[in-house]
Amino acid sequence: MTTPLLSVNQLSKTFQRRGQSVAAVDRVSFTLNAGETWALVGESGSGKSTTGRLVLGLTPASGGDIQFEGRSLADLNSSGWKRVRRDMQMIFQDPLSSLDPKRTVGYSLEEPLIIHGIGKRKTQVAGMLEQVGLRPQDAARYPHEFSGGQRQRIGIARALILKPKLIICDEPVSALDVSIQSQILNLLMGLQREYGLAYLFISHDLNVVRHIADRVGVMHRGRIVEQGETQRIFTHPQQEYTRYLLNAILPAHPVAAGAGQVVVNG
Ligand SMILES: Nc1ncnc2c1ncn2[C@@H]1O[C@H](COP(=O)(O)OP(=O)(O)O)[C@@H](O)[C@H]1O
Ligand SMILES: [Mg+2]
């Protein structure tokens, strides 16, 4: 067996709220291999975003262990974290949250390269903009000048510019119109093929997950109640809760119907 890219073991996070403990993430375990898409699905409040933030070290865990390429993240010092952060990036539902409104798009893309001391920055920024279906001259514009779909392309470019191995995508298409959703999903899948990227893909939308994931974990009240190959989860769900989620979706969904082609405009 090759070492998984990411291995999450018995990960837990408890928040204190109004004097009560809330187990947002409760002994979650899964592995993610290089180049694959592992989706975390579940209703709002089930603990998906917290899991993503724990993996990235944005919030400290209450228990459990996370290994990246076989090394525990708990043992990392700050220079170790800096190296891991280069390999692990994040895309959010609202790309504006990771883009500074007062900075040009070009600067927002250049910033990770500056932090990591990487050269040929203007060339890389121009190339990355084209990779996500924008134009090199868009580097001079500001985030508010772009549509929601274009802003998500910028968020993807910023996540991709350090050539990471893993991108944690937290509801990356949930704020977009369905037609734009399929364009962004096709872009993500094309980039995955080109760069061998792995995605931890967080979504409440099973139609989106069916379209993009190799494997799925179903999260409910902080726990993964079922996980497996996407096809198996959708055709032979083992758990009552998974069946409940599947019953709630419509069979003919435009995102699922638009599978297979890479669209880079819009
Ligand atoms: N910073 C926080 N402080 C207190 N409770 C939190 C915090 N972040 C998340 N929670 C709680 O943890 C649970 C899981 O939240 P979250 O991970 O955001 O779920 P999801 O992304 O699946 O909607 C919710 O009950 C939420 O209210
Ligand atoms: Mg969330």
Side-chain angles (χ1 to χ4, degrees):
M1 276 286 288
T2 51
T3 309
L5 182 66
L6 180 73
S7 177
V8 171
N9 303 301
Q10 299 283 304
L11 187 65
S12 296
K13 178 70 186 184
T14 306
F15 290 111
Q16 299 300 325
R17 204 166 44 196
R18 292 185 223 104
Q20 290 211 309
S21 295
V22 179
V25 175
D26 188 4
R27 290 161 286 164
V28 160
S29 300
F30 63 92
T31 59
L32 201 165
N33 298 313
E36 85 166 336
T37 299
W38 199 89
L40 200 50
V41 301
E43 294 170 293
S44 176
S46 56
K48 306 180 300 296
S49 294
T50 304
T51 303
R53 292 174 55 79
L54 288 167
V55 169
L56 276 168
L58 298 176
T59 187
S62 312
D65 185 46
I66 303 164
Q67 295 189 356
F68 189 74
E69 297 185 311
R71 282 188 300 272
S72 174
L73 299 184
D75 304 333
L76 289 183
N77 58 18
S78 62
S79 75
W81 264 113
K82 191 172 173 184
R83 214 170 321 119
V84 168
R85 285 255 158 74
R86 209 173 145 167
D87 286 335
M88 253 198 302
Q89 295 288 314
M90 191 153 185
I91 302 171
F92 301 92
Q93 174 170 340
D94 175 13
L96 284 181
S97 64
S98 58
L99 298 172
D100 186 337
K102 294 186 290 294
R103 299 283 199 173
T104 63
V105 164
Y107 180 83
S108 285
L109 294 194
E110 234 184 295
E111 193 176 51
L113 299 173
I114 295 170
I115 290 169
H116 289 274
I118 298 168
K120 296 199 177 137
R121 295 197 292 266
K122 301 281 187 243
T123 316
Q124 288 209 54
V125 166
M128 195 48 71
L129 284 168
E130 289 191 304
Q131 280 260 285
V132 300
L134 298 169
R135 305 163 307 160
Q137 56 267 40
D138 289 328
R141 298 167 68 199
Y142 290 85
H144 72 265
E145 298 177 57
F146 294 87
S147 68
Q150 288 172 326
R151 280 202 289 260
Q152 196 53 284
R153 290 174 189 274
I154 298 164
I156 292 167
R158 181 173 155 100
L160 200 62
I161 200 146
L162 292 170
K163 306 279 155 53
K165 294 173 181 169
L166 169 64
I167 301 184
I168 296 173
C169 308
D170 191 351
E171 306 271 5
V173 299
S174 301
L176 304 173
D177 291 345
V178 167
S179 64
I180 307 296
Q181 287 189 3
S182 62
Q183 293 175 12
I184 297 297
L185 293 174
N186 284 327
L187 173 65
L188 287 171
M189 288 189 285
L191 293 168
Q192 179 170 54
R193 278 192 293 274
E194 184 161 352
Y195 292 102
L197 283 167
Y199 294 131
L200 173 54
F201 193 95
I202 294 171
S203 179
H204 70 278
D205 188 338
L206 278 106
N207 278 307
V208 166
V209 162
R210 171 160 59 190
H211 187 58
I212 197 164
D214 300 302
R215 292 192 292 145
V216 175
V218 178
M219 203 162 184
H220 182 48
R221 295 185 181 166
R223 306 209 64 177
I224 293 184
V225 295
E226 178 167 7
Q227 57 178 309
E229 303 276 329
T230 307
Q231 175 79 6
R232 202 278 294 161
I233 294 281
F234 277 83
T235 55
H236 297 95
Q238 303 291 305
Q239 296 296 321
E240 195 57 43
Y241 183 72
T242 309
R243 283 193 281 274
Y244 160 79
L245 282 185
L246 288 169
N247 283 336
I249 63 172
L250 297 167
H253 189 276
V255 167
Q261 99 218 67
V262 176
V263 183
V264 288
N265 297 312

